[in-house]
Amino acid sequence: MATAQSDDKRPTPDPAEDNAFFPSPYSLSQFTAPKSDLSGADYPSPYTGGRWKVLVVGADERYLMTDNGTMFSTGNHPVETLLPMYHLDKAGFAFDIATLSGNPVKFEFWAMPSEDEEVKGLFSKFRGQFKQPLKLADVVKDALGEDSDYIGVFIPGGHGALIGLPESDDMKAVLEWALANDKFIISLCHGPAAFLAAKGGPSFSGYKICAFPDALDAQTPDMGYMPGHLTWKFGEQLTSMGFEIVNDNISGETCQDRKMLTGDSPLAGNALGKLAAKALLDAVGNE
């Protein structure tokens, strides 16, 4: 939920867990808004073939340990998740939603644009799938292959993407499948941390991407967005894998390198959605 302007930079305790915190009132006033920048979701010739779906891999753990022993109450960022999905939905593509455990997708609901009826409506449309997602291991076992109905995979951002996905063999299998079968890989902000799962597998060396900068992550505790610092730098590790991160700040920038489509932050949610919808529609042609 967006909040009014505040100078209070103290992280807000999360009463559901010991030593866990939401972002401070000040940081929420700076980085959330009651309405998103959703626009341009007009697709006069949407996909109507009924086959192609996008696999959404969500965060299933809420609490991220920081360097001082506090936990950040996180998950997937609603704008980063729902704006790209909104465009892809309007463009005619269906979704399967999965998490590592099969437990519900966790959201940073404090960042939901509370007065944005279109975005809230899309959340309601897929609420059942968010609450009862597929287990990613089952998707890997049963739904991947050369004849898969998935046209690509979407990994939303939010710090929840840092938990579990970078070490997951199932996430690695999905990325290997996408690369081997020329499928789209869509992500933004902290979502590309999931690409670390492919370490030691097929080479993503040379791919250009946008991602949330490590340097900015290091600054967010100063304003109480997080209650402590991250214990590792995902951008640094992506660079060591051979990825080239093309942004050093956040401005809503997106990047397309072959079939990898990425954005730098929540500011890129709408633009990434438009980029992805157009790319997928171009790929299916007249199907």
Side-chain angles (χ1 to χ4, degrees):
M1 179 182 292
T3 189
Q5 177 66 41
S6 172
D7 294 327
D8 187 351
K9 296 183 180 181
R10 294 172 298 175
T12 301
D14 175 355
E17 182 56 85
D18 173 60
N19 208 26
F21 296 85
F22 301 118
S24 67
Y26 172 79
S27 62
L28 289 182
S29 74
Q30 299 299 303
F31 295 115
T32 65
K35 286 195 174 182
S36 74
D37 65 342
L38 178 66
S39 64
D42 303 312
Y43 301 98
S45 300
Y47 171 64
T48 57
R51 176 188 177 188
W52 294 116
K53 300 183 290 185
V54 175
L55 174 63
V56 181
V57 182
D60 61 2
E61 169 59 48
R62 180 169 304 287
Y63 296 108
L64 177 66
M65 187 70 72
T66 70
D67 67 338
N68 61 12
T70 60
M71 291 189 291
F72 179 38
S73 185
T74 181
N76 284 134
H77 193 291
V79 169
E80 296 174 21
T81 307
L82 298 173
L83 265 63
M85 287 183 66
Y86 188 95
H87 283 274
L88 292 167
D89 179 60
K90 290 294 186 183
F93 297 96
F95 300 100
D96 279 348
I97 297 172
T99 63
L100 292 183
S101 63
N103 291 329
V105 177
K106 305 302 190 296
F107 277 97
E108 297 173 329
F109 216 71
W110 37 262
M112 179 69 77
S114 58
E115 298 174 15
D116 201 318
E117 296 306 320
E118 293 296 316
V119 175
K120 289 167 63 180
L122 187 86
F123 177 76
S124 295
K125 179 176 180 177
F126 293 102
R127 182 194 301 268
Q129 287 179 262
F130 287 131
K131 301 298 185 185
Q132 293 185 302
L134 303 172
K135 187 174 182 178
L136 191 59
D138 294 338
V139 174
V140 171
K141 179 165 61 85
D142 300 330
L144 300 187
E146 293 181 6
D147 59 347
S148 174
D149 292 333
Y150 295 129
I151 192 170
V153 57
F154 171 44
I155 308 163
H159 284 80
L162 298 176
I163 311 170
L165 292 179
E167 301 85 28
S168 167
D169 288 339
D170 295 318
M171 189 73 253
K172 179 177 183 178
V174 171
L175 294 168
E176 289 178 342
W177 161 83
L179 199 62
N181 292 279
D182 198 29
K183 302 292 185 176
F184 288 94
I185 301 172
I186 307 162
S187 192
L188 72 168
C189 202
H190 291 84
F195 301 167
L196 293 170
K199 194 178 297 184
S203 177
F204 285 96
S205 182
Y207 272 82
K208 294 181 179 181
I209 61 170
C210 287
F212 196 84
D214 288 338
L216 291 188
D217 259 331
Q219 296 174 22
T220 58
D222 296 338
M223 64 188 73
Y225 187 85
M226 290 193 298
H229 288 89
L230 297 178
T231 58
W232 57 284
K233 299 177 180 179
F234 82 98
E236 185 179 275
Q237 293 196 22
L238 286 170
T239 301
S240 73
M241 279 181 67
F243 285 97
E244 180 183 344
I245 299 175
V246 300
N247 61 295
D248 57 13
N249 211 319
I250 55 170
S251 63
E253 185 176 353
T254 62
C255 180
Q256 178 170 1
D257 188 345
R258 287 154 279 188
K259 287 192 171 180
M260 183 167 281
L261 315 176
T262 52
D264 65 12
S265 67
L267 302 176
N270 191 65
L272 182 64
K274 292 167 70 172
L275 177 67
K278 181 181 185 304
L280 269 62
L281 286 172
D282 288 348
V284 300
N286 295 320
E287 287 185 38

